[in-house]
RNA sequence: UCCUCGAUAGCUCAAUUGGUAGAGCGAGCGGCUGUUAACCGCUAGGUUGCUGGUUCGAGUCCAGCUCGAGGAGCCA
């Protein structure tokens, strides 16, 4: 009789049945007569019990010496047991060793960033990385289904783009049969053409920025989805963006509870984002930055950080006492580890504490007409529980194709969407200038040559309509939803300044 | 491009005013029937990132370089 192979995530439906699982050894605690194996099969992890019995001494001995990440096929009976993680475990009858692994580099203990990134191809198997990847999958799937369900047509825009002379430092140049072209940093201009064909269109692909940014928010290669709609207005664009983010969040809350729990994400923060978003004009945002509210917020933040630092210092005292009183070596080591972790947190907090007065100055002295800086965005987003749309920025700091507000030509009809908790800008979008002559004017004012925009200008010559759209950065969205600090963990193989391996 | 910090065993870290390089984890061997980063005992494991300098003596001090982390600017 063939024994059925089941997924660990389906264990609850197979209690007391004999089944097979195909997977990998994640960790093991071997005893003389019983071994506790933590197995993973891609769907989940479970504990498996191998008891030494008459007749299985060979298997017992072999499994005992199996290295972490050895691949195996285990046959056994599913049991409900509260002592086991997930509430179920596998009582093993037999193990087939598919591949024996020795010296797997990533152990269940702590590792540094550099080491993990060098071993990224293996790091992907770790629990947190596994959870992040699954949430990313759900986010991308939500994006596709949201647009598909709302009658958008997917149009793929080119990655090789002619260089038109603008913003050259931020583009990657490629030798294209002797011609200098750039890797695309947006599909928007091409997508405008598609929107005039389909009414609603979107593109979804990788995008490339050669900015020399080394921060936790930047990648040189990242994924962006860009919808573009004919006959829309700015309110419509904001509704579209809010609908998209609501769909993403509610799908993650519905389908990725376990993964969010693995990442210790505060669910209430995500639930708050299901409320209608805050709408602030740029001018209102500037007022907010100048307000007592912003000042008080930063003062509170400063006080909180200082309190936390004192708390950590007290903890360190305690750990030191623990270490002195500890009889066992491992207790001393544990205390040392805790002290190290606390010191790292203190260092980070002290840096923030140092920066807060500077941020206060920046906010207080913010002049109408400048683009919002990173710290300004943080202040605005931290003052609200849900994402914030900031609209109508000064025309001078924004791109040439953005349409000026007919009611105030000093500002353009654009939006930025700021994610909560300081995760920064996740959406940028605008209405596009649809008037032929006005667009030429804008191109010339920015110092560009209208000759290079011939086909783009054609869109204003033949059946031009009010239209607009936005771009949403997938990795920043994943960082926010998962609550992880650094964007490099939101994509399987991050590309950053100076890093292209593996 | 600029500013700050860092590089010691496979991994994470320690090493007092410059004076014999250590621990835990991991690996190997052994012990333990309910473990949750299991635990206990033993063993192996090092050109202290590179180059030069100061010194009787450098992991430690100085200079330059390489690599990494965080931030500024810019941005999704």
């Amino acid at each position: 009789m063939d024994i059925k192979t089941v997924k660990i995530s389906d264990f609850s439906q197979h209690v007391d049945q004999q089944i097979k699982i195909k997977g990998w050894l994640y960790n093991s605690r071997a005893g003389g007569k019983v071994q506790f194996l933590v197995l993973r099969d891609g769907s989940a992890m479970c504990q498996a019990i191998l008891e030494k019995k008459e007749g299985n001494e060979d298997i017992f001995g072999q499994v005992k010496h199996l290295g972490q990440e050895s691949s195996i096929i285990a046959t056994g009976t599913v049991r409900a047991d509260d002592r086991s993680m997930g509430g179920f475990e596998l009582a093993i009858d037999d193990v087939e060793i598919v591949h024996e692994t020795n010296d797997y580099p990533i152990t269940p203990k702590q590792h540094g960033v550099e080491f993990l990134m060098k071993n990224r191809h293996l790091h992907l198997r770790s629990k947190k990385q596994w959870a992040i990847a699954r949430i990313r999958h759900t986010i991308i799937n939500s994006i596709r289904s949201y647009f598909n369900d709302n009658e958008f047509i997917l149009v793929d825009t080119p990655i090789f783009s002619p260089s038109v002379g603008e913003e050259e430092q931020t583009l990657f140049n490629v030798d294209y049969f002797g011609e200098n072209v750039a890797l695309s940093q947006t599909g928007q201009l091409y997508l405008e053409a598609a929107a005039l064909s389909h009414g609603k269109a979107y593109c979804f692909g990788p995008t490339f920025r050669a900015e020399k940014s080394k921060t936790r928010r930047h990648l040189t290669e990242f994924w962006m989805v860009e919808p573009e709609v004919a006959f829309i207005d700015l309110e419509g664009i904001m509704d579209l963006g809010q609908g998209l983010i609501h769909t993403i969040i509610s799908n993650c809350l519905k389908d990725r509870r376990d993964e969010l729990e693995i990442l210790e994400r505060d669910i209430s923060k995500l639930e708050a984002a299901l409320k209608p978003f805050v709408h602030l004009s740029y001018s209102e945002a500037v007022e907010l930055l100048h307000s007592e509210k912003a000042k008080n917020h930063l003062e509170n933040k400063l006080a909180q950080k200082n309190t936390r630092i004192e708390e950590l210092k007290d903890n360190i005292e305690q750990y030191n006492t623990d270490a002195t009183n500890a009889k066992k070596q491992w207790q001393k080591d544990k205390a040392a580890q805790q002290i190290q972790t606390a010191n790292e947190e203190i260092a980070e907090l002290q840096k923030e504490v140092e920066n807060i007065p500077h941020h206060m100055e920046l906010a207080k002295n913010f002049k109408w007409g400048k683009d919002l800086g990173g710290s300004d965005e943080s202040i605005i987003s931290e003052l609200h529980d849900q994402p914030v749309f900031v609209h109508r920025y000064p025309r001078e700091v924004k791109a040439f194709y953005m349409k000026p507000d007919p009611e105030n030509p000093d500002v353009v009809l654009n939006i930025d969407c700021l994610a909560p908790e300081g995760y920064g800008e996740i959406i940028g979008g605008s209405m596009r200038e649809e008037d032929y002559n006005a667009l030429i004017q804008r191109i010339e004012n920015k110092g560009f040559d209208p000759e290079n925009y011939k086909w783009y200008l054609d869109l204003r010559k033949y059946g031009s309509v009010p239209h607009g759209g936005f771009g949403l950065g997938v990795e920043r969205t994943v960082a926010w939803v998962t609550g992880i600090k650094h964007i490099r963990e939101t994509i399987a193989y991050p590309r950053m300044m100076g890093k292209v391996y593996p």
Side-chain angles (χ1 to χ4, degrees):
Chain A
M1 188 188 76
D2 272 353
I3 299 166
K4 204 176 153 191
T5 301
V6 308
K7 291 186 296 176
I8 293 171
S9 58
D10 290 340
F11 267 14
S12 62
Q13 294 155 44
H14 297 274
V15 178
D16 296 331
Q17 292 174 18
Q18 197 191 29
I19 53 100
K20 248 186 215 174
I21 62 172
K22 298 177 176 175
W24 296 265
L25 182 63
Y26 193 74
N27 194 10
S28 65
R29 294 176 283 275
K33 289 185 181 161
V34 61
Q35 295 178 48
F36 302 93
L37 311 174
V38 179
L39 304 180
R40 59 174 194 89
D41 72 345
S43 78
M45 291 204 264
C46 72
Q47 173 164 283
I49 315 298
L50 178 56
E51 287 182 65
K52 195 173 186 175
K53 293 179 211 155
E54 231 172 275
N56 79 349
E57 292 89 351
D58 276 4
I59 287 293
F60 192 90
Q62 283 171 37
V63 171
K64 191 166 178 175
H65 293 107
L66 270 188
Q68 198 190 334
E69 286 301 320
S70 293
S71 41
I72 58 167
I73 298 173
T75 308
T77 305
V78 178
R79 292 194 302 222
D81 193 313
D82 289 342
R83 289 171 299 186
S84 205
M85 60 194 219
F88 300 96
E89 61 183 23
L90 187 72
I92 294 180
D93 300 321
D94 194 20
V95 173
E96 181 191 331
I97 297 166
V98 179
H99 181 243
E100 190 173 340
T101 297
N102 296 303
D103 300 326
Y104 185 69
I106 301 176
T107 69
K109 302 285 175 181
Q110 264 190 9
H111 298 283
V113 171
E114 189 182 358
F115 178 78
L116 290 174
M117 282 297 144
K118 273 192 180 141
N119 289 284
R120 184 64 179 163
H121 52 299
L122 304 174
H123 188 210
L124 298 176
R125 304 182 190 190
S126 300
K127 201 172 178 180
K128 283 196 174 180
Q129 301 309 311
W130 174 86
I132 294 167
R134 287 165 72 93
I135 291 170
R136 177 186 168 102
H137 168 82
T138 297
I139 289 173
I140 289 175
N141 204 30
S142 301
I143 291 169
R144 293 189 193 285
S145 59
Y146 177 76
F147 289 119
N148 294 341
D149 293 349
N150 283 288
E151 301 171 313
F152 279 75
I153 298 298
L154 175 71
V155 174
D156 298 310
T157 54
I159 287 174
F160 292 128
S161 313
S163 289
V164 289
E166 57 166 313
E167 301 159 287
E168 260 176 355
Q169 299 104 338
T170 67
L171 298 174
F172 286 105
N173 293 306
V174 177
D175 178 15
Y176 190 79
F177 304 115
E179 190 183 345
N180 185 35
V181 301
L183 297 183
S184 166
Q185 61 167 343
T186 172
Q188 182 209 313
L189 304 191
Y190 294 100
L191 206 63
E192 287 183 44
L196 298 187
S197 169
H198 299 286
K200 295 171 165 184
Y202 73 103
C203 64
F204 196 174
T207 193
F208 306 89
R209 305 271 166 99
E211 287 147 8
K212 294 189 173 172
S213 304
K214 287 177 66 176
T215 80
R216 64 182 75 183
R217 298 186 307 280
H218 286 89
L219 295 170
T220 54
E221 177 182 318
F222 64 96
W223 286 68
M224 184 158 71
V225 61
E226 295 175 90
E228 189 76 23
V229 184
F231 299 107
I232 199 170
D233 58 17
L234 195 65
E235 281 302 314
I237 292 172
M238 288 193 269
D239 288 347
L240 191 66
Q242 176 177 305
L244 172 63
I245 291 172
H246 279 174
T247 302
I248 288 170
I249 299 295
S250 57
N251 285 346
C252 288
L253 288 173
K254 182 160 60 73
D255 300 334
R256 294 296 173 216
R257 285 276 163 166
D258 293 347
E259 288 82 356
L260 289 168
E261 195 171 322
I262 286 169
L263 298 167
E264 295 170 14
R265 183 65 170 122
D266 183 347
I267 300 289
S268 68
K269 295 263 168 68
L270 294 178
E271 284 166 344
L274 291 173
K275 290 189 288 186
F277 293 1
V278 175
H279 291 206
L280 277 182
S281 71
Y282 168 88
S283 299
E284 287 165 340
V286 173
E287 272 174 44
L288 186 61
L289 288 175
H290 292 162
S291 71
E292 282 293 303
K293 205 174 157 190
K295 195 178 153 216
N296 291 338
H297 166 70
L298 287 175
E299 278 167 358
N300 285 340
K301 197 168 153 186
L302 189 63
Q304 272 171 25
K305 304 266 180 212
N306 279 323
T307 312
R308 178 68 184 150
I309 289 173
E310 289 311 311
E311 198 179 301
L312 285 166
K313 282 182 178 165
D314 289 348
N315 289 350
I316 289 174
E317 291 283 311
Q318 186 58 47
Y319 298 143
N320 270 322
T321 322
D322 290 350
T324 321
N325 297 336
K327 296 203 173 60
K328 306 274 186 186
Q329 182 59 44
W330 71 267
Q331 290 171 322
K332 288 185 201 288
D333 292 329
K334 189 182 168 195
Q337 183 68 58
Q338 284 169 320
I339 289 168
Q340 194 195 320
T341 309
N343 274 325
E344 279 167 16
E345 194 181 335
I346 287 176
E348 196 163 315
L349 286 165
Q350 277 172 340
K351 205 171 227 171
E352 289 176 40
V353 163
E354 247 172 64
N355 282 333
I356 286 175
H358 180 55
H359 293 166
M360 280 170 99
E361 280 301 299
L362 285 177
K364 201 176 97 188
N365 299 326
F366 190 91
K367 286 224 172 57
W368 197 100
K370 273 193 343 180
D371 209 347
L372 296 175
S375 64
D376 306 312
E377 288 183 355
S378 292
I379 293 167
I380 294 165
S381 85
E382 283 161 7
L383 287 168
H384 302 92
D385 292 335
Q386 62 271 64
V388 181
F389 279 121
V390 182
H391 56 85
R392 293 180 172 82
Y393 279 59
R395 186 174 167 170
E396 290 307 310
V397 297
K398 287 294 168 183
F400 73 90
Y401 51 77
M402 293 187 180
K403 182 177 174 171
D405 185 354
E407 290 174 17
N408 177 7
D410 290 340
V411 299
V412 287
L413 295 174
N414 81 310
I415 51 153
D416 277 358
C417 182
L418 308 179
E421 301 165 73
Y423 278 95
E425 187 185 339
I426 53 172
I427 281 181
S430 74
M431 291 297 292
R432 325 300 188 190
E433 178 57 73
E434 81 252 23
D435 182 79
Y436 185 85
N437 291 321
L439 186 57
I440 285 196
Q441 193 71 59
R442 295 279 318 222
I443 290 170
E444 283 174 346
N445 285 352
K446 291 273 174 182
F448 307 144
D449 183 0
E451 260 314 289
N452 290 328
Y453 295 89
K454 209 160 176 293
W455 70 260
Y456 187 63
L457 284 159
D458 267 0
L459 304 177
R460 278 71 179 169
K461 241 162 104 178
Y462 307 111
S464 190
V465 296
H467 67 286
F470 64 81
L472 172 125
V474 168
E475 284 74 17
R476 285 192 184 172
T477 306
V478 176
W480 167 45
V481 173
T482 55
I484 60 163
K485 286 211 179 86
H486 204 299
I487 200 167
R488 68 184 155 222
E489 290 178 56
T490 62
I491 185 166
Y493 301 99
R495 292 292 175 257
M496 293 173 291
M497 193 182 147
K499 202 198 98 57
V500 286
Y501 177 92

